[in-house]
Amino acid sequence: MSDVLFGGIEGGASVSTVVITNGKGDILAEILGEGTNPWTLGIKSCLSRVNDLIKEAIKKANLDVNTKLNGLGLCLSGCEDVIFCEQIETDLKKLYPQLAEIISVASDTLAPIALACQSGGAVIISGTGSNGFLLNPDFTTKRCGGNGHLLGDEGSAYWIAHKSIKICLDHIEEYSFAPNNYSIDRVWESIKSYLQIEAVVDLISVFYGEKKSKSKIAGLCKIIADLAIKGDKLSIWIFNEAGKELAKLLQAIYPSAHKMLHNENGGLHVVCVGSVWKSWDLLKNGFIEQLQSNSDKKIVKEFTLILLNKTVALGGIYLIAKKLNYDFPFDYEHNYKTLFHYVHDEKLK
């Protein structure tokens, strides 16, 4: 078993995590790299980066750089369509035939569920972008979000950053004013410092110039979080709104969950993935407010938010091991910890 080698990649829009294990489940190497979204990079550039990342991880594992993996599981953002995933698999085998014997490509939403939920479950991703996904025991699915920053990504780091900038822009131009008459001073000064701009007009180059970067803009989210922690009222309000948006993702997928998942201990298990969840204390009030204030058609009765204890890239390895019917040491109960348990309170409706 120790001679068997698996590779797994969890590829977001900004960051990718790569892991190499043997057949016993021992992690031989783990590395971080740049994003591997094929829609952002283009397919060939994406696959070139995948190849380079795997080679780097193999080298870190002290293996021969020409080592061919027994299985490689890729869970990449943007890979929602089955036919598109099959195209990625075919192209990767054609371009890099020595990379792995068997390759599996799926959405990055599947990796966390595979790692934490033996019979299916849900995930809400909130990193640079956002996405909600449900996998039932009978393999039926429900998706909400994941449509990119122009069509969605509500509650994500980019959304938080963009909302912060837009509120300040509109306030300065007197198009509309900040909510509840909150001061924009601290947020606007932080935006200018982070983006290295001096005035509103400089935002044009940030969003439309040659050097525009979605990841760069999304990085502003951490600064807004720091301001919220320090008591800035506008920043607190923005994260409260982000919490509501993430709760809407849960409301969209919850009704489609199989009865078996609703009856799990703690209700539906929802894996929380992405850097925005590190600010759960800032998101929590808005999240709960959205769940409690909606109509009967949107009631979410019970769920448990969970955080992974292990690298989400292991989810790719779980998926490829299952595809190969390999007796891998799956260890679901030790792969996560509880973030929050919720039971709907009828009195608060």
Side-chain angles (χ1 to χ4, degrees):
M1 289 178 67
S2 59
D3 293 333
V4 175
L5 294 171
F6 293 116
I9 295 183
E10 190 274 332
S14 303
V15 179
S16 297
T17 307
V18 186
V19 66
I20 303 290
T21 74
N22 59 24
K24 295 179 180 179
D26 301 317
I27 295 179
L28 307 181
E30 180 182 348
I31 65 169
L32 292 177
E34 295 181 285
T36 45
N37 183 317
W39 292 102
T40 303
L41 295 172
I43 292 178
K44 285 190 177 181
S45 295
C46 173
L47 299 186
S48 175
R49 184 170 290 177
V50 165
N51 180 66
D52 291 343
L53 287 171
I54 292 296
K55 292 298 184 185
E56 183 182 345
I58 286 174
K59 184 177 180 180
K60 186 176 180 181
N62 294 317
L63 298 168
D64 187 294
V65 71
N66 294 315
T67 297
K68 189 173 186 178
L69 300 174
N70 296 89
L72 173 60
L74 305 180
C75 295
L76 310 180
S77 63
C79 289
E80 311 295 338
D81 181 72
V82 174
I83 295 176
F84 184 67
C85 289
E86 291 174 351
Q87 179 188 345
I88 296 291
E89 290 178 21
T90 300
D91 289 351
L92 188 58
K93 291 174 184 176
K94 182 178 179 180
L95 290 170
Y96 306 103
Q98 292 303 118
L99 196 59
E101 293 177 6
I102 303 295
I103 296 172
S104 174
V105 178
S107 167
D108 59 339
T109 54
L110 278 179
I113 296 176
L115 190 58
C117 308
Q118 185 172 2
S119 302
V123 61
I124 297 178
I125 296 175
S126 184
T128 301
S130 64
N131 199 351
F133 184 80
L134 170 76
L135 175 65
N136 280 314
D138 61 1
F139 300 107
T140 56
T141 63
K142 168 68 175 178
R143 184 178 72 87
C144 181
N147 298 310
H149 67 292
L150 294 179
L151 296 176
D153 280 351
E154 290 85 357
S156 68
Y158 183 91
W159 185 91
I160 290 168
H162 180 272
K163 193 169 190 68
S164 303
I165 293 169
K166 192 67 167 68
I167 287 172
C168 291
L169 168 63
D170 289 346
H171 187 95
I172 291 167
E173 293 188 337
E174 299 185 353
Y175 175 78
S176 63
F177 296 100
N180 304 316
N181 293 316
Y182 293 141
S183 170
I184 68 166
D185 292 348
R186 295 174 71 183
V187 172
W188 180 235
E189 289 303 315
S190 295
I191 289 170
K192 290 193 292 183
S193 176
Y194 175 76
L195 296 177
Q196 297 182 321
I197 62 174
E198 296 181 1
V200 166
V201 68
D202 299 324
L203 290 169
I204 301 301
S205 62
V206 173
F207 281 88
Y208 307 110
E210 292 181 359
K211 295 183 179 180
K212 64 180 181 292
S213 169
K214 185 172 71 171
S215 298
K216 172 68 175 178
I217 294 169
L220 177 63
C221 176
K222 186 179 185 304
I223 294 172
I224 303 302
D226 290 340
L227 288 176
I229 292 170
K230 293 175 183 177
D232 180 68
K233 292 183 178 180
L234 177 57
S235 300
I236 292 171
W237 183 88
I238 290 169
F239 266 88
N240 195 70
E241 293 299 296
K244 293 179 182 178
E245 297 299 329
L246 295 178
K248 289 177 185 177
L249 290 176
L250 177 56
Q251 287 176 319
I253 62 178
Y254 185 85
S256 297
H258 193 281
K259 184 178 179 180
M260 177 179 174
L261 299 183
H262 285 310
N263 291 335
E264 291 269 9
N265 183 28
L268 178 67
H269 286 194
V270 183
V271 190
C272 302
V273 177
S275 59
V276 175
W277 288 107
K278 294 177 182 178
S279 299
W280 168 244
D281 287 344
L282 301 175
L283 300 167
K284 183 177 178 180
N285 287 342
F287 197 94
I288 295 173
E289 182 182 341
Q290 174 63 29
L291 296 176
Q292 287 289 358
S293 65
N294 228 290
S295 67
D296 290 346
K297 293 181 180 179
K298 287 287 188 178
I299 285 182
V300 174
K301 293 183 178 180
E302 184 180 12
F303 65 88
T304 299
L305 300 181
I306 60 178
L307 296 173
L308 295 175
N309 281 330
K310 298 178 182 177
T311 172
V312 68
L314 276 173
I317 289 179
Y318 274 40
L319 289 171
I320 192 64
K322 286 184 176 180
K323 183 175 182 177
L324 294 171
N325 293 316
Y326 186 82
D327 186 21
F328 194 84
F330 303 109
D331 187 18
Y332 300 100
E333 63 181 270
H334 294 108
N335 290 341
Y336 66 86
K337 62 181 179 181
T338 297
L339 174 65
F340 177 70
H341 177 233
Y342 173 91
V343 177
H344 183 72
D345 188 347
E346 291 289 337
K347 297 178 183 179
L348 297 178
K349 281 180 61 181

